[in-house]
Amino acid sequence: MDDGDQVESTVQQLAELHDAHRREATRAQRLANRVTETLGRPGALMIVIVLVILWMIGNYAATRAGVGALEGAPFPELGLIVTLVALLVALLILTTQRHEQTLAEKQAPLTIADRASEREEDRKADRHGRGAAPGQSDAAVPARPGS
């Protein structure tokens, strides 16, 4: 198998592995992946910041206007809500990471084999590039400095 065939085969196997990984994911896992992806965008951070600021300003303004505020400073309910949301986000991230780790573990043998093949091809090219005949052992080719 030449280099092009080896690379094409590895790419095809990786594509099939990714497709199978997506197909095998449960509905809950797919939802967790989508939510984690959405929360990981800068817009989600901006929305959270705006909501917290609006909560604080709204409660302050309601207190000043004499209307019943949801809570007063230092906003203990807001702290509880933020803490619970942080816990849920951490769990979502862990779930998504675990799912991606299973893919990485399945993918590792393919990428390791591909890298080993590349190193072998590099060694052959080095031997040929320095005038070594095909089939000549590595011992006959002087080592590169730092190798």
Side-chain angles (χ1 to χ4, degrees):
M1 181 181 286
D2 71 353
D3 291 343
D5 291 341
Q6 176 73 25
V7 170
E8 186 176 323
S9 172
T10 301
V11 169
Q12 181 64 32
Q13 289 174 346
L14 287 171
E16 290 169 2
L17 186 65
H18 280 262
D19 287 343
H21 187 68
R22 277 190 294 275
R23 280 192 315 272
E24 293 167 2
T26 64
R27 176 181 274 165
Q29 183 64 59
R30 287 191 299 272
L31 177 63
N33 291 347
R34 281 194 303 272
V35 171
T36 303
E37 181 182 333
T38 301
L39 291 175
R41 294 185 177 139
L45 175 62
M46 296 307 295
I47 289 171
V48 169
I49 291 170
V50 167
L51 288 175
V52 168
I53 290 170
L54 287 175
W55 179 278
M56 294 168 71
I57 290 173
N59 280 291
Y60 178 74
T63 302
R64 296 284 290 172
V67 180
L70 294 175
E71 70 173 330
F75 310 107
E77 286 87 7
L78 177 61
L80 177 63
I81 292 168
V82 168
T83 300
L84 291 174
V85 169
L87 175 63
L88 291 174
V89 169
L91 291 173
L92 276 170
I93 291 169
L94 288 172
T95 300
T96 302
Q97 285 179 337
R98 194 193 81 214
H99 185 242
E100 293 304 312
Q101 181 63 33
T102 60
L103 174 62
E105 288 169 359
K106 292 175 184 175
Q107 184 175 317
L110 292 174
T111 55
I112 290 169
D114 192 45
R115 288 184 188 136
S117 175
E118 288 174 5
R119 283 194 298 272
E120 179 59 31
E121 292 302 319
D122 288 346
R123 281 191 215 109
K124 288 178 183 176
D126 285 348
R127 283 195 305 263
H128 294 298
R130 283 181 262 174
Q136 183 178 2
S137 74
D138 286 337
V141 178
R144 285 183 271 170
S147 301

